[in-house]
Amino acid sequence: AQSVTQPDIHITVSEGASLELRCNYSYGATPYLFWYVQSPGQGLQLLLKYFSGDTLVQGIKGFEAEFKRSQSSFNLRKPSVHWSDAAEYFCAVGAFSGGYNKLIFGAGTRLAVHP
Amino acid sequence: NAGVTQTPKFRVLKTGQSMTLLCAQDMNHEYMYWYRQDPGMGLRLIHYSVGEGTTAKGEVPDGYNVSRLKKQNFLLGLESAAPSQTSVYFCASSFALGTGDVLTFGAGSRLTVL
C-alpha cells in the first residue's frame, strides 16, 4: 500500500543553521512528490514538487528537495534557516489508490527555530 | 485575494448537533476536496468532487455528507456530530485530478465536538 513516512515528529534548529527534513515513501510506480508547509493557523502552502527529470528540485523560500529512487526518499533541505521557517512540514505522494487519484500525506514534522 | 475560503474558522458543537462547513473557491477549479487533520496522522481525505453536481467518498467518509451544487462551492455536513469528529478540516481545490496536480488549500476550520 502507498504510504509516506516522516520519521521526525519535532525538530529544533538554531536560526542560521542548516536543515534537513526526512521523507520516505512507498509507491510502486514513479511517484509525484510534494512538500507542503503549514504556518500556525494557516492552510497548507506548496513548497515544491517533483514529477520527473532533475532529481534536485528547487522551491520557494530557499528550500530544495532531492529525490532518491534507490532510497525511496524525498528529503527537504535549506542551507540557512530563518525564524519565519518555524512551521509544520508535510511530505506527500500523488497516488492512484482505492479507485481514484489522491494525495497521501505523511504525519508531518514540526519545526521550531531558536534565535 | 484569490484562493480557497472556508467558513466558519472555528465552531464548537455538542454531541448530536448538526452543522455545515462551507468552502468557496474563485479559481474556476473543477476538483474540490475535504480533508481532516488530526495530530500525528497527517491529512486524510473525507470526500471529493470532480465537478458540479458530483461527489465521491475518500478514505474516511463515515459521518459526513457533501454537496457541490455550484462549481465554486463544496459543502461538508455533519448530521449528528460525535467527539471523534473533533478535528481541523481543510478544503482544497485543483485544476485537474491527476496524481501530479497541485492542490490549493483553505486556511482550515477547527471543529470541537463536546
Side-chain angles (χ1 to χ4, degrees):
Chain A
Q2 297 91 346
S3 65
V4 176
T5 302
Q6 294 179 247
D8 305 304
I9 299 174
H10 286 279
I11 284 183
T12 300
V13 300
S14 298
E15 192 169 16
S18 63
L19 171 70
E20 182 170 31
L21 302 182
R22 296 183 291 165
C23 172
N24 293 97
Y25 67 90
S26 172
Y27 188 59
T30 299
Y32 294 92
L33 295 162
F34 306 81
W35 274 100
Y36 282 85
V37 60
Q38 183 183 25
S39 298
Q42 303 296 315
L44 279 72
Q45 180 184 20
L46 180 71
L47 278 177
L48 48 79
K49 59 184 186 282
Y50 170 78
F51 290 170
S52 64
D54 194 345
T55 57
L56 185 62
V57 180
Q58 301 298 320
I60 62 172
K61 304 184 181 186
F63 285 92
E64 66 179 25
E66 186 171 13
F67 170 59
K68 293 185 177 180
R69 184 185 298 275
S70 61
Q71 299 178 17
S72 296
S73 69
F74 189 56
N75 294 348
L76 182 71
R77 301 194 295 247
K78 187 170 185 178
S80 178
V81 170
H82 188 263
W83 64 266
S84 61
D85 293 324
E88 189 155 21
Y89 292 81
F90 292 93
C91 181
V93 61
F96 185 80
S97 175
Y100 59 92
N101 291 324
K102 64 178 182 181
L103 273 184
I104 300 172
F105 285 87
T109 298
R110 186 170 296 278
L111 173 67
V113 180
H114 280 174
Chain B
N1 290 338
V4 178
T5 303
Q6 295 181 228
T7 53
K9 290 188 177 0
F10 301 93
R11 184 75 186 269
V12 178
L13 290 177
K14 294 181 179 179
T15 297
Q17 287 185 317
S18 63
M19 76 157 296
T20 300
L21 297 177
L22 171 63
C23 176
Q25 54 94 5
D26 58 5
M27 297 170 286
N28 203 34
H29 284 170
E30 285 291 336
Y31 306 96
M32 298 187 74
Y33 315 82
W34 276 107
Y35 286 87
R36 60 177 289 171
Q37 182 184 28
D38 302 292
M41 302 187 73
L43 279 76
R44 293 179 292 168
L45 183 65
I46 305 171
H47 286 281
Y48 67 103
S49 168
V50 301
E52 182 178 317
T54 73
T55 64
K57 295 180 180 179
E59 56 183 314
V60 289
D62 294 342
Y64 304 95
N65 57 76
V66 287
S67 64
R68 183 102 180 264
L69 298 180
K70 295 182 178 181
K71 184 177 182 177
Q72 63 268 34
N73 295 337
F74 194 30
L75 278 64
L76 177 71
L78 285 71
E79 290 186 347
S80 180
S84 61
Q85 294 177 303
T86 294
S87 187
V88 181
Y89 292 86
F90 287 97
C91 178
S93 69
S94 68
F95 181 72
L97 194 58
T99 52
D101 287 293
V102 175
L103 272 61
T104 299
F105 284 85
S109 298
R110 182 175 295 275
L111 175 65
T112 302
V113 183
L114 303 177

